[in-house]
Amino acid sequence: MLKGFLRHKSIQPLTPPSPTLRASNMTSQEQNDWQPELTDEQILAFEQKIKDEEAEKIPLVCQKESIDALEKEFQDNKPFLEKVQKLKETNDELRKCRGDGNCFFRAFAFAWFESLMRNPHIFKAGVEKLKSTTELLLSGGFQELAFEDFYDVTLNQLEQIPDSDPDLLLVNFQTEEISNSIVMHLRFVTSAYLKIHSAEYEPFLIVESISIDQFCAQEVEAFGRESDHLQITALTKALDVPVEVLYLDGSSGDHVAVHEFWPDEASKGSRKALQLIYRPGHYDILYRKE
Amino acid sequence: MSNMKRVQKEILAIEQDKEAHIEVILPEDGSMNHMTAKISGPVNTPYEGGLFTVDVSVPPEYPFLPPKMKFVSRVYHPNISSQTGAICLDILKDKWTPVLTLKSALISLQSLLSTPEPDDPQDAQVAAHYKRDKEDFEQTAKYWTEVYANPNAEVLPDGVKPEALARLVDMGFGRSNAINALAEFKGDEQAAVESLL
């Protein structure tokens, strides 16, 4: 049974159980214990409906907008508002992504592709890095069967960049089949990287007392599962793409905490990191003032 | 359907793997979103020797969403509905990830047969039976395997249900006589018994 929140809700059973072959030696107590409840299929359908309704509110990746949108969002929340106002000194725009649990991967992918479009001199290295991920996935124990379709879509989208434009890139990232395949490929890459470097990352999982493999299956490979430090660290290293995450939270003062994820300390400062903005439970893309 | 390529490759992989004891039968119309699988019952379980038919349908969102599977053969198992064949298995629900395949899901069904989890039941009656008297449960499960998942079972005429046939044979009637009688009376057990007496 699903452990879903709807589990206790009762509805009519599909068909009452009838006496069956040799199963009739059941006590009347057991017969009475049989409680009708929502089937797992009904629970899944209901949860899917909630997700779909949520999804229809905004595209997978939105148009860029002024950072004033954040001010509006937090107008009644002083600690957040102060930080947003401080942020306006360095950043002027943001791009929202749908809050479907994939927002980190989607925001990362879009910001990465966009940076390769704007900086042709790093494009080739980006393609090479992406091509090297098939080897990484095979070493991580993934079956080609399970990842090749997602990989093909991702590589195809990346290779189009020199002949593409920002509008087309956005349209493609708003197309579920393309956008979700890219998200899935990045999830697999993250998972493979963590598995290969498990000795390094397993200590971070001591509190949850689960293995890297379990963590990857539950939190990384599962489509729609939210991401945290471990996923960000692994992905930035696997693809050699630095990221800065600016954290908005309820702490006092106007200081925005910046968490830097550099693939290696040596390259720090030599190139520009992608910027994401995080507020509890959600990532969007942030743009610096030009 | 965009996932056809993957499904096609997955089916090919199942066909090439003779060790897994899994067979997939595609419908004649060539569609790939609905198929029938046959899995063997694991050894040292009440399901040993059985060949179980599983209905598999692949949603358009596959592999982001899990395939839908249910037993067509009736199975006596705490995590499988004895009425509908619905399966309670986490990887077919909230634990599904696109890393998994039709083959790994079908293999998981085999291991579900080996390791029932009566505390998370799909069929509360069967689970209660399992917890109350495991030996008696196993006898029933074995009997169901012989009756409903017998790979050597002859094709029965229309209207002849294997469970009705089994009851008549249990009463002491000859098997072929019982089949003929049931066929003659279109599955009406009482009429068949009267004609045999």
Side-chain angles (χ1 to χ4, degrees):
Chain A
M1 277 296 153
L2 286 180
K3 306 281 187 283
F5 54 94
L6 283 170
R7 193 176 169 181
H8 61 283
K9 293 272 173 73
S10 293
I11 59 141
Q12 284 301 307
L14 297 173
T15 43
S18 56
T20 40
L21 271 179
R22 292 193 186 180
S24 49
N25 50 354
M26 187 171 283
T27 65
S28 60
Q29 183 57 43
E30 280 164 14
Q31 303 264 9
N32 290 337
D33 283 348
W34 196 85
Q35 289 292 327
E37 54 177 43
L38 277 182
T39 65
D40 289 343
E41 281 68 27
Q42 287 167 316
I43 294 172
L44 275 186
F46 190 84
E47 289 177 344
Q48 190 58 45
K49 189 166 162 264
I50 294 174
K51 277 190 191 163
D52 290 347
E53 283 172 3
E54 188 57 35
E56 278 160 17
K57 289 179 192 161
I58 75 166
L60 293 169
V61 180
C62 300
Q63 294 278 2
K64 246 189 212 181
E65 58 188 307
S66 161
I67 205 162
D68 294 344
L70 280 180
E71 254 181 329
K72 220 172 276 169
E73 190 177 328
F74 294 117
Q75 57 186 349
D76 301 323
N77 186 330
K78 192 158 166 277
F80 281 76
L81 189 61
E82 282 178 356
K83 293 185 179 69
V84 172
Q85 282 161 349
K86 179 78 178 169
L87 203 61
K88 284 175 80 174
E89 292 173 10
T90 49
N91 298 76
D92 56 356
E93 287 182 303
L94 89 155
R95 190 190 290 278
K96 290 188 175 169
C97 294
R98 188 185 288 174
D100 61 355
N102 295 308
C103 52
F104 163 70
F105 288 102
R106 214 182 302 273
F108 175 97
F110 189 89
W112 182 40
F113 278 36
E114 205 181 25
S115 74
L116 296 178
M117 189 175 273
R118 274 200 314 253
N119 305 292
H121 64 283
I122 56 168
F123 171 73
K124 227 178 138 189
V127 173
E128 289 313 309
K129 203 69 205 175
L130 186 68
K131 282 183 176 170
S132 74
T133 57
T134 53
E135 202 54 47
L136 180 84
L137 293 185
L138 290 171
S139 318
F142 286 89
Q143 291 181 72
E144 200 165 352
L145 188 67
F147 70 73
E148 61 189 351
D149 290 358
F150 303 132
Y151 168 75
D152 288 347
V153 171
T154 309
L155 181 64
N156 179 272
Q157 290 299 314
L158 191 64
E159 286 181 325
Q160 281 180 27
I161 281 180
D163 310 315
S164 185
D165 60 67
D167 291 337
L168 188 58
L169 183 69
L170 181 61
V171 168
N172 287 340
F173 265 83
Q174 289 175 338
T175 309
E176 262 186 46
E177 204 183 315
I178 296 173
S179 201
N180 290 346
S181 293
I182 296 172
V183 165
M184 212 53 235
H185 184 65
L186 296 193
R187 284 184 175 276
F188 282 8
V189 167
T190 306
S191 173
Y193 189 90
L194 286 170
K195 285 177 183 175
I196 291 168
H197 299 87
S198 61
E200 219 173 303
Y201 295 106
E202 215 142 35
F204 294 102
L205 299 174
I206 284 173
V207 183
E208 285 109 298
S209 71
I210 53 171
S211 69
I212 277 283
D213 284 354
Q214 283 170 303
F215 176 79
C216 287
Q218 287 168 25
E219 308 294 335
V220 188
E221 292 156 14
F223 188 73
R225 204 58 59 99
E226 309 218 352
S227 297
D228 214 330
H229 265 68
L230 221 47
Q231 287 92 323
I232 305 176
T233 308
L235 186 60
T236 51
K237 284 180 187 287
L239 293 177
D240 189 31
V241 177
V243 172
E244 284 173 11
V245 182
L246 288 80
Y247 282 75
L248 290 185
D249 58 26
S251 64
S252 61
D254 63 2
H255 175 70
V256 184
V258 182
H259 291 245
E260 294 176 88
F261 298 87
W262 283 88
D264 62 304
E265 285 297 312
S267 71
K268 209 169 162 177
S270 66
R271 48 186 171 155
K272 273 207 170 114
L274 307 177
Q275 281 195 324
L276 302 181
I277 180 163
Y278 177 85
R279 45 207 192 280
H282 188 66
Y283 298 86
D284 287 319
I285 305 167
L286 198 60
Y287 294 91
R288 295 182 183 87
K289 277 187 180 170
E290 295 288 333
Chain B
M1 201 165 67
S2 61
N3 55 20
M4 287 278 267
K5 213 171 95 191
R6 165 156 167 166
V7 174
Q8 200 165 9
K9 282 183 283 193
E10 287 197 28
I11 291 167
L12 196 67
I14 294 173
E15 284 169 357
Q16 283 165 352
D17 184 353
K18 303 290 174 215
E19 304 286 296
H21 301 288
I22 292 172
E23 192 190 339
V24 171
I25 302 146
L26 286 169
E28 284 173 10
D29 64 8
S31 66
M32 295 226 163
N33 51 6
H34 191 218
M35 62 199 83
T36 303
K38 302 236 178 217
I39 61 172
S40 329
V43 291
N44 299 324
T45 69
Y47 312 100
E48 179 172 355
L51 188 64
F52 297 87
T53 307
V54 179
D55 182 82
V56 180
S57 70
V58 182
E61 299 87 352
Y62 181 84
F64 293 102
L65 291 183
K68 290 195 173 80
M69 296 193 176
K70 66 172 194 169
F71 277 92
V72 177
S73 310
R74 296 185 69 188
V75 188
Y76 199 72
H77 185 289
N79 308 104
I80 300 163
S81 166
S82 58
Q83 304 297 312
T84 65
I87 302 161
C88 178
L89 181 62
D90 57 0
I91 63 135
L92 290 179
K93 295 171 178 151
D94 56 335
K95 291 286 191 298
W96 171 262
T97 81
V99 177
L100 301 167
T101 60
L102 295 175
K103 185 167 126 188
S104 57
L106 288 165
I107 290 172
S108 298
L109 290 188
Q110 281 175 319
S111 62
L112 181 69
L113 290 177
S114 314
T115 51
E117 290 190 25
D119 291 327
D120 191 15
Q122 176 75 37
D123 192 308
Q125 293 196 15
V126 178
H129 186 188
Y130 179 97
K131 287 167 97 164
R132 191 185 62 244
D133 186 345
K134 193 165 168 213
E135 209 171 302
D136 194 56
F137 156 85
E138 284 183 348
Q139 266 185 15
T140 307
K142 207 166 163 219
Y143 185 73
W144 279 43
T145 304
E146 281 161 19
V147 173
Y148 299 119
N150 187 343
N152 307 315
E154 68 271 62
V155 178
L156 296 172
D158 277 355
V160 180
K161 293 228 166 65
E163 61 266 37
L165 175 61
R167 278 190 290 265
L168 262 57
V169 173
D170 272 0
M171 287 177 200
F173 298 115
R175 194 174 172 83
S176 57
N177 285 344
I179 293 175
N180 290 339
L182 281 168
E184 187 182 343
F185 294 99
K186 300 193 167 42
D188 182 335
E189 242 176 287
Q190 185 119 26
V193 170
E194 277 164 20
S195 80
L196 287 163
L197 284 170

mmCIF file of all heavy atoms in Angstrom, chain A residues 190-218:
data_model
loop_
_atom_site.group_PDB
_atom_site.id
_atom_site.type_symbol
_atom_site.label_atom_id
_atom_site.label_comp_id
_atom_site.label_asym_id
_atom_site.label_seq_id
_atom_site.Cartn_x
_atom_site.Cartn_y
_atom_site.Cartn_z
ATOM 1 N N THR A 190 24.293 12.713 -12.095
ATOM 2 C CA THR A 190 24.516 12.992 -10.669
ATOM 3 C C THR A 190 24.632 11.697 -9.874
ATOM 4 O O THR A 190 25.534 11.517 -9.050
ATOM 5 C CB THR A 190 23.338 13.835 -10.116
ATOM 6 O OG1 THR A 190 23.190 14.996 -10.930
ATOM 7 C CG2 THR A 190 23.570 14.233 -8.680
ATOM 8 N N SER A 191 23.694 10.788 -10.157
ATOM 9 C CA SER A 191 23.667 9.517 -9.452
ATOM 10 C C SER A 191 24.944 8.705 -9.714
ATOM 11 O O SER A 191 25.562 8.180 -8.777
ATOM 12 C CB SER A 191 22.432 8.734 -9.901
ATOM 13 O OG SER A 191 22.453 7.450 -9.377
ATOM 14 N N ALA A 192 25.332 8.629 -10.995
ATOM 15 C CA ALA A 192 26.534 7.862 -11.347
ATOM 16 C C ALA A 192 27.759 8.454 -10.658
ATOM 17 O O ALA A 192 28.603 7.720 -10.125
ATOM 18 C CB ALA A 192 26.725 7.849 -12.861
ATOM 19 N N TYR A 193 27.847 9.786 -10.637
ATOM 20 C CA TYR A 193 29.006 10.432 -10.008
ATOM 21 C C TYR A 193 29.058 10.091 -8.515
ATOM 22 O O TYR A 193 30.117 9.765 -7.974
ATOM 23 C CB TYR A 193 28.950 11.963 -10.217
ATOM 24 C CG TYR A 193 30.232 12.644 -9.781
ATOM 25 C CD1 TYR A 193 31.280 12.819 -10.682
ATOM 26 C CD2 TYR A 193 30.405 13.062 -8.472
ATOM 27 C CE1 TYR A 193 32.467 13.413 -10.290
ATOM 28 C CE2 TYR A 193 31.594 13.658 -8.064
ATOM 29 C CZ TYR A 193 32.624 13.834 -8.975
ATOM 30 O OH TYR A 193 33.800 14.399 -8.581
ATOM 31 N N LEU A 194 27.904 10.159 -7.859
ATOM 32 C CA LEU A 194 27.859 9.845 -6.421
ATOM 33 C C LEU A 194 28.243 8.388 -6.153
ATOM 34 O O LEU A 194 28.967 8.085 -5.210
ATOM 35 C CB LEU A 194 26.463 10.122 -5.850
ATOM 36 C CG LEU A 194 26.085 11.598 -5.668
ATOM 37 C CD1 LEU A 194 24.609 11.742 -5.337
ATOM 38 C CD2 LEU A 194 26.938 12.247 -4.573
ATOM 39 N N LYS A 195 27.751 7.486 -7.013
ATOM 40 C CA LYS A 195 28.047 6.062 -6.812
ATOM 41 C C LYS A 195 29.536 5.780 -6.993
ATOM 42 O O LYS A 195 30.132 5.027 -6.232
ATOM 43 C CB LYS A 195 27.240 5.209 -7.781
ATOM 44 C CG LYS A 195 25.772 5.102 -7.384
ATOM 45 C CD LYS A 195 24.983 4.308 -8.398
ATOM 46 C CE LYS A 195 23.521 4.282 -8.005
ATOM 47 N NZ LYS A 195 22.692 3.623 -9.007
ATOM 48 N N ILE A 196 30.113 6.408 -8.034
ATOM 49 C CA ILE A 196 31.536 6.169 -8.311
ATOM 50 C C ILE A 196 32.394 6.734 -7.178
ATOM 51 O O ILE A 196 33.415 6.155 -6.819
ATOM 52 C CB ILE A 196 31.920 6.779 -9.681
ATOM 53 C CG1 ILE A 196 31.236 5.981 -10.792
ATOM 54 C CG2 ILE A 196 33.430 6.790 -9.879
ATOM 55 C CD1 ILE A 196 31.294 6.630 -12.145
ATOM 56 N N HIS A 197 31.960 7.867 -6.606
ATOM 57 C CA HIS A 197 32.727 8.483 -5.519
ATOM 58 C C HIS A 197 32.060 8.238 -4.163
ATOM 59 O O HIS A 197 32.073 9.114 -3.298
ATOM 60 C CB HIS A 197 32.869 9.986 -5.770
ATOM 61 C CG HIS A 197 33.585 10.305 -7.047
ATOM 62 N ND1 HIS A 197 32.951 10.411 -8.256
ATOM 63 C CD2 HIS A 197 34.906 10.505 -7.300
ATOM 64 C CE1 HIS A 197 33.829 10.675 -9.202
ATOM 65 N NE2 HIS A 197 35.031 10.734 -8.658
ATOM 66 N N SER A 198 31.499 7.052 -3.997
ATOM 67 C CA SER A 198 30.698 6.800 -2.785
ATOM 68 C C SER A 198 31.511 6.962 -1.495
ATOM 69 O O SER A 198 30.984 7.440 -0.488
ATOM 70 C CB SER A 198 30.052 5.419 -2.843
ATOM 71 O OG SER A 198 31.051 4.433 -2.910
ATOM 72 N N ALA A 199 32.789 6.572 -1.554
ATOM 73 C CA ALA A 199 33.598 6.663 -0.330
ATOM 74 C C ALA A 199 33.654 8.099 0.180
ATOM 75 O O ALA A 199 33.658 8.359 1.382
ATOM 76 C CB ALA A 199 35.003 6.145 -0.599
ATOM 77 N N GLU A 200 33.666 9.031 -0.779
ATOM 78 C CA GLU A 200 33.755 10.437 -0.446
ATOM 79 C C GLU A 200 32.438 10.987 0.106
ATOM 80 O O GLU A 200 32.432 11.857 0.971
ATOM 81 C CB GLU A 200 34.082 11.177 -1.742
ATOM 82 C CG GLU A 200 35.048 12.320 -1.640
ATOM 83 C CD GLU A 200 35.382 12.798 -3.053
ATOM 84 O OE1 GLU A 200 35.862 11.966 -3.873
ATOM 85 O OE2 GLU A 200 35.131 13.968 -3.316
ATOM 86 N N TYR A 201 31.331 10.471 -0.427
ATOM 87 C CA TYR A 201 30.033 11.081 -0.101
ATOM 88 C C TYR A 201 29.204 10.309 0.925
ATOM 89 O O TYR A 201 28.304 10.875 1.532
ATOM 90 C CB TYR A 201 29.217 11.303 -1.372
ATOM 91 C CG TYR A 201 29.885 12.322 -2.275
ATOM 92 C CD1 TYR A 201 30.538 11.942 -3.439
ATOM 93 C CD2 TYR A 201 29.902 13.663 -1.914
ATOM 94 C CE1 TYR A 201 31.181 12.880 -4.232
ATOM 95 C CE2 TYR A 201 30.545 14.611 -2.692
ATOM 96 C CZ TYR A 201 31.188 14.208 -3.853
ATOM 97 O OH TYR A 201 31.831 15.137 -4.626
ATOM 98 N N GLU A 202 29.519 9.047 1.114
ATOM 99 C CA GLU A 202 28.717 8.247 2.049
ATOM 100 C C GLU A 202 28.703 8.834 3.462
ATOM 101 O O GLU A 202 27.662 8.798 4.115
ATOM 102 C CB GLU A 202 29.156 6.785 2.057
ATOM 103 C CG GLU A 202 28.002 5.837 2.259
ATOM 104 C CD GLU A 202 28.118 4.569 1.421
ATOM 105 O OE1 GLU A 202 29.250 4.087 1.211
ATOM 106 O OE2 GLU A 202 27.072 4.070 0.993
ATOM 107 N N PRO A 203 29.843 9.406 3.930
ATOM 108 C CA PRO A 203 29.819 9.974 5.281
ATOM 109 C C PRO A 203 28.713 11.029 5.486
ATOM 110 O O PRO A 203 28.231 11.200 6.597
ATOM 111 C CB PRO A 203 31.206 10.617 5.421
ATOM 112 C CG PRO A 203 32.070 9.828 4.496
ATOM 113 C CD PRO A 203 31.186 9.450 3.352
ATOM 114 N N PHE A 204 28.299 11.698 4.397
ATOM 115 C CA PHE A 204 27.246 12.707 4.534
ATOM 116 C C PHE A 204 25.882 12.085 4.794
ATOM 117 O O PHE A 204 24.928 12.775 5.118
ATOM 118 C CB PHE A 204 27.165 13.566 3.264
ATOM 119 C CG PHE A 204 28.384 14.411 3.049
ATOM 120 C CD1 PHE A 204 29.350 14.049 2.133
ATOM 121 C CD2 PHE A 204 28.564 15.576 3.789
ATOM 122 C CE1 PHE A 204 30.479 14.830 1.936
ATOM 123 C CE2 PHE A 204 29.692 16.361 3.601
ATOM 124 C CZ PHE A 204 30.656 15.980 2.671
ATOM 125 N N LEU A 205 25.805 10.771 4.594
ATOM 126 C CA LEU A 205 24.508 10.111 4.729
ATOM 127 C C LEU A 205 24.364 9.373 6.045
ATOM 128 O O LEU A 205 23.384 8.682 6.273
ATOM 129 C CB LEU A 205 24.301 9.128 3.567
ATOM 130 C CG LEU A 205 24.307 9.755 2.179
ATOM 131 C CD1 LEU A 205 24.230 8.678 1.112
ATOM 132 C CD2 LEU A 205 23.150 10.724 2.021
ATOM 133 N N ILE A 206 25.345 9.544 6.921
ATOM 134 C CA ILE A 206 25.326 8.808 8.187
ATOM 135 C C ILE A 206 24.060 9.090 8.979
ATOM 136 O O ILE A 206 23.429 8.184 9.508
ATOM 137 C CB ILE A 206 26.582 9.144 9.019
ATOM 138 C CG1 ILE A 206 27.777 8.409 8.413
ATOM 139 C CG2 ILE A 206 26.401 8.741 10.489
ATOM 140 C CD1 ILE A 206 29.115 8.769 9.022
ATOM 141 N N VAL A 207 23.645 10.344 8.993
ATOM 142 C CA VAL A 207 22.460 10.713 9.766
ATOM 143 C C VAL A 207 21.231 9.935 9.295
ATOM 144 O O VAL A 207 20.465 9.394 10.079
ATOM 145 C CB VAL A 207 22.200 12.232 9.676
ATOM 146 C CG1 VAL A 207 21.009 12.624 10.533
ATOM 147 C CG2 VAL A 207 23.444 12.995 10.110
ATOM 148 N N GLU A 208 21.085 9.873 7.967
ATOM 149 C CA GLU A 208 19.920 9.151 7.430
ATOM 150 C C GLU A 208 20.122 7.633 7.466
ATOM 151 O O GLU A 208 19.196 6.888 7.226
ATOM 152 C CB GLU A 208 19.645 9.568 5.986
ATOM 153 C CG GLU A 208 19.008 10.924 5.842
ATOM 154 C CD GLU A 208 19.958 11.961 5.261
ATOM 155 O OE1 GLU A 208 20.998 12.249 5.890
ATOM 156 O OE2 GLU A 208 19.673 12.464 4.177
ATOM 157 N N SER A 209 21.359 7.243 7.762
ATOM 158 C CA SER A 209 21.764 5.839 7.760
ATOM 159 C C SER A 209 21.256 5.066 6.539
ATOM 160 O O SER A 209 20.642 4.022 6.656
ATOM 161 C CB SER A 209 21.377 5.126 9.056
ATOM 162 O OG SER A 209 19.999 4.947 9.143
ATOM 163 N N ILE A 210 21.506 5.645 5.367
ATOM 164 C CA ILE A 210 21.244 4.896 4.142
ATOM 165 C C ILE A 210 22.508 4.890 3.297
ATOM 166 O O ILE A 210 23.387 5.729 3.470
ATOM 167 C CB ILE A 210 20.067 5.476 3.312
ATOM 168 C CG1 ILE A 210 20.260 6.978 3.039
ATOM 169 C CG2 ILE A 210 18.741 5.241 3.999
ATOM 170 C CD1 ILE A 210 19.252 7.548 2.067
ATOM 171 N N SER A 211 22.594 3.924 2.407
ATOM 172 C CA SER A 211 23.776 3.827 1.552
ATOM 173 C C SER A 211 23.634 4.806 0.390
ATOM 174 O O SER A 211 22.547 5.319 0.121
ATOM 175 C CB SER A 211 23.905 2.411 1.015
ATOM 176 O OG SER A 211 22.858 2.172 0.105
ATOM 177 N N ILE A 212 24.746 5.044 -0.292
ATOM 178 C CA ILE A 212 24.702 5.905 -1.488
ATOM 179 C C ILE A 212 23.733 5.335 -2.516
ATOM 180 O O ILE A 212 22.960 6.075 -3.123
ATOM 181 C CB ILE A 212 26.129 6.047 -2.092
ATOM 182 C CG1 ILE A 212 26.916 7.142 -1.354
ATOM 183 C CG2 ILE A 212 26.079 6.364 -3.566
ATOM 184 C CD1 ILE A 212 26.547 8.578 -1.735
ATOM 185 N N ASP A 213 23.748 4.018 -2.681
ATOM 186 C CA ASP A 213 22.844 3.410 -3.666
ATOM 187 C C ASP A 213 21.380 3.690 -3.340
ATOM 188 O O ASP A 213 20.586 4.015 -4.214
ATOM 189 C CB ASP A 213 23.076 1.894 -3.757
ATOM 190 C CG ASP A 213 24.350 1.577 -4.533
ATOM 191 O OD1 ASP A 213 24.962 2.521 -5.072
ATOM 192 O OD2 ASP A 213 24.722 0.395 -4.591
ATOM 193 N N GLN A 214 21.055 3.547 -2.049
ATOM 194 C CA GLN A 214 19.667 3.823 -1.641
ATOM 195 C C GLN A 214 19.337 5.300 -1.856
ATOM 196 O O GLN A 214 18.262 5.646 -2.344
ATOM 197 C CB GLN A 214 19.463 3.492 -0.161
ATOM 198 C CG GLN A 214 19.340 2.012 0.130
ATOM 199 C CD GLN A 214 19.390 1.761 1.628
ATOM 200 O OE1 GLN A 214 20.344 2.135 2.298
ATOM 201 N NE2 GLN A 214 18.346 1.154 2.151
ATOM 202 N N PHE A 215 20.284 6.158 -1.457
ATOM 203 C CA PHE A 215 20.074 7.592 -1.609
ATOM 204 C C PHE A 215 19.834 7.930 -3.079
ATOM 205 O O PHE A 215 18.916 8.683 -3.417
ATOM 206 C CB PHE A 215 21.297 8.359 -1.079
ATOM 207 C CG PHE A 215 21.213 9.849 -1.268
ATOM 208 C CD1 PHE A 215 20.454 10.622 -0.400
ATOM 209 C CD2 PHE A 215 21.877 10.475 -2.302
ATOM 210 C CE1 PHE A 215 20.360 12.007 -0.576
ATOM 211 C CE2 PHE A 215 21.793 11.851 -2.491
ATOM 212 C CZ PHE A 215 21.036 12.615 -1.618
ATOM 213 N N CYS A 216 20.659 7.344 -3.958
ATOM 214 C CA CYS A 216 20.522 7.634 -5.380
ATOM 215 C C CYS A 216 19.174 7.170 -5.920
ATOM 216 O O CYS A 216 18.524 7.877 -6.678
ATOM 217 C CB CYS A 216 21.659 6.993 -6.167
ATOM 218 S SG CYS A 216 23.219 7.868 -5.921
ATOM 219 N N ALA A 217 18.758 5.969 -5.522
ATOM 220 C CA ALA A 217 17.484 5.446 -6.015
ATOM 221 C C ALA A 217 16.312 6.298 -5.515
ATOM 222 O O ALA A 217 15.386 6.597 -6.257
ATOM 223 C CB ALA A 217 17.310 3.991 -5.586
ATOM 224 N N GLN A 218 16.379 6.705 -4.250
ATOM 225 C CA GLN A 218 15.234 7.418 -3.666
ATOM 226 C C GLN A 218 15.226 8.905 -3.992
ATOM 227 O O GLN A 218 14.171 9.500 -4.197
ATOM 228 C CB GLN A 218 15.265 7.289 -2.142
ATOM 229 C CG GLN A 218 14.883 5.920 -1.646
ATOM 230 C CD GLN A 218 15.210 5.766 -0.169
ATOM 231 O OE1 GLN A 218 15.289 6.741 0.570
ATOM 232 N NE2 GLN A 218 15.396 4.543 0.277
#
